[in-house]
């Protein structure tokens, strides 16, 4: 199982969905799915992708 | 050993001073008020004002519950209950202000005295000619400073006494507000005199040093936990900020 953890800056909070879709649409990330996402107290969003 | 008259004088003065210091340390609680109820019972010329009961031997029933009897005599009225509780709160306030004033004065006085003693014996030691006498005076000076160090804990307390007092003020204000609210809004069924007397004890207790120190420790503990939580959150955020951006 592979896991990739990424961060989305608070300034880009309006583009979270677009950024995730871009990541998942990249052929290099084929097989990955969104596993979890949470917002930190600074407003950044941490996104965890997982490939079984 | 050849010791001159002035040197002997210096030695005697130093010995007298250290004796006084030891005495004053032993009597550190002298002048402090006894517990509220005890003081009112044993030194107040009006024993009928003892917290809840009268022990006036002139009465046919010396153990008559003074306030409770007045309360029952009024038909358990709100106004009598309130007047009794306000009077008792006033007595507790009076005691509290005198207690905090004396507490501060007691600590400051001891501090100045022992500082002076330490300084005096050190100077005497420097001025003394004979080697042996110097040793004796130095030993006394060391002992005197030892006494001072034993009082240092009190001096430390003196420096923090303002913080403790603020804590006591806050706790007392909380209880007073709660009591006044109950007295205004609740009848004697919900808030009888007996409950008010219980609150008076709490009100008095909130103004004691023990309670103030305990509350201060509790608040400091809370502040520490909050600070640690903030630090932990900051460290977590710093770690998360190193993740690659999407």
């Amino acid at each position: 199982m592979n896991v990739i953890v990424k961060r989305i800056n608070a300034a880009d909070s309006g583009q979270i969905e677009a950024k995730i879709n871009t990541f998942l649409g990249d052929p290099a990330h084929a097989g990955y799915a969104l596993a979890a996402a949470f917002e930190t107290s600074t407003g950044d969003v941490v996104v965890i992708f997982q490939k079984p | 050993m050849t010791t001159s008259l002035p040197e002997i004088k210096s030695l005697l003065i130093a010995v007298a001073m250290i004796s006084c210091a030891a005495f004053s340390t032993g009597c550190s609680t002298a002048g402090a008020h006894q517990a509220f109820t005890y003081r009112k019972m044993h030194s107040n010329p009006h024993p009928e004002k003892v917290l809840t009961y009268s022990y006036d031997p002139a009465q046919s029933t010396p153990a008559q519950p003074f306030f409770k009897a007045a309360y029952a005599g009024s038909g358990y009225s709100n106004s009598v209950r309130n007047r009794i509780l306000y009077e008792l709160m006033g007595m507790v306030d009076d005691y509290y202000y005198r207690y905090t004033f004396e507490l501060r004065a007691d600590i400051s006085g001891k501090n100045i005295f022992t500082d002076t003693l330490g300084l005096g014996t050190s100077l005497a030691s420097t001025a003394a000619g004979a080697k042996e006498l110097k040793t004796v005076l130095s030993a006394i000076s060391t002992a005197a400073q030892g006494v001072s160090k034993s009082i240092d804990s009190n001096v430390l307390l003196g420096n923090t006494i303002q913080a403790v007092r603020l804590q006591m003020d806050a706790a007392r204000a909380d209880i007073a507000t709660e009591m006044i609210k109950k007295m205004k809004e609740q009848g004697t069924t919900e808030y009888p005199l007996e409950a008010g007397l219980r609150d008076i004890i709490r009100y008095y207790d909130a103004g004691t040093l023990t309670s103030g120190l305990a509350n201060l420790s509790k608040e400091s503990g809370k502040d520490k936990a909050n600070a640690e939580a903030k630090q932990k959150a900051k460290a977590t955020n710093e770690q998360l900020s190193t993740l690659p951006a999407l």
Side-chain angles (χ1 to χ4, degrees):
Chain A
M1 185 172 71
N2 294 322
V3 173
I4 296 174
V5 183
K6 294 280 188 182
R7 176 179 52 84
I8 299 172
N9 286 325
D12 298 330
S13 60
Q15 306 166 40
I16 295 172
E17 197 175 345
K19 281 182 173 284
I20 291 172
N21 285 334
T22 304
F23 177 89
L24 294 174
D26 186 342
H29 301 134
Y32 276 94
L34 179 64
F38 62 89
E39 188 180 1
T40 71
S41 60
T42 59
D44 288 356
V45 175
V46 175
V47 189
I48 303 168
F49 299 100
Q50 183 183 317
K51 183 161 81 169
Chain B
M1 173 177 165
T2 54
T3 305
S4 66
L5 189 60
E7 287 167 353
I8 291 170
K9 268 180 150 178
S10 299
L11 178 62
L12 288 174
I13 290 167
V15 169
M17 286 175 83
I18 195 169
S19 303
C20 290
F23 178 75
S24 69
T25 310
C27 299
S28 62
T29 55
H33 282 304
Q34 298 294 333
F36 177 68
T37 47
Y38 178 88
R39 187 169 69 91
K40 291 294 174 191
M41 282 173 64
H42 294 272
S43 62
N44 196 295
H46 304 291
E48 70 276 12
K49 288 191 175 180
V50 169
L51 194 58
T52 49
Y53 293 96
S54 166
Y55 290 92
D56 186 356
Q59 289 185 6
S60 56
T61 51
Q64 180 194 9
F66 180 79
F67 289 122
K68 287 181 182 174
Y71 175 57
S74 73
Y76 303 103
S77 80
N78 285 3
S79 63
V80 170
R81 175 202 65 185
N82 292 354
R83 283 171 63 189
I84 290 171
L85 292 180
Y86 277 124
E87 182 179 342
L88 290 171
M89 284 173 82
M91 288 165 69
V92 174
D93 287 343
D94 172 57
Y95 170 80
Y96 174 71
Y97 292 125
R98 277 189 287 150
Y99 173 69
T100 48
F101 176 80
E102 286 185 13
L103 192 67
R104 181 73 198 166
D106 188 36
I107 290 164
S108 302
K110 274 193 301 199
N111 184 22
I112 292 164
F113 181 78
T114 50
D115 279 355
T116 310
L117 175 62
L119 185 64
T121 49
S122 294
L123 286 175
S125 174
T126 309
K131 196 179 174 183
E132 295 81 359
L133 188 59
K134 263 189 183 178
T135 310
V136 172
L137 287 174
S138 294
I140 292 171
S141 178
T142 306
Q145 281 156 10
V147 171
S148 180
K149 274 176 189 163
S150 75
I151 297 174
D152 277 352
S153 57
N154 284 336
V155 175
L156 183 65
L157 186 65
N159 290 334
T160 57
I161 204 73
Q162 294 304 327
V164 178
R165 179 163 180 181
L166 285 175
Q167 200 66 50
M168 292 194 288
D169 284 348
R172 278 165 44 80
D174 283 347
I175 295 170
T177 307
E178 183 192 323
M179 285 182 70
I180 291 167
K181 189 169 183 284
K182 283 179 185 171
M183 283 192 273
K184 278 185 181 169
E185 296 175 1
Q186 296 183 3
T188 51
T189 309
E190 299 92 349
Y191 190 59
L193 179 67
E194 287 78 0
L197 294 176
R198 186 171 167 270
D199 283 341
I200 289 287
I201 298 289
R202 283 175 55 221
Y203 185 56
Y204 165 73
D205 185 58
T208 61
L209 195 59
T210 315
S211 178
L213 282 169
N215 282 334
L216 190 65
S217 302
K218 197 166 71 179
E219 291 301 316
S220 303
K222 273 188 203 166
D223 290 347
K224 188 187 169 200
N226 287 341
E228 281 175 352
K230 275 184 189 169
Q231 198 176 12
K232 198 174 173 183
K234 193 182 170 197
T236 306
N237 285 333
E238 279 173 2
Q239 207 170 358
L240 290 174
S241 69
T242 61
L243 289 171
L246 185 63

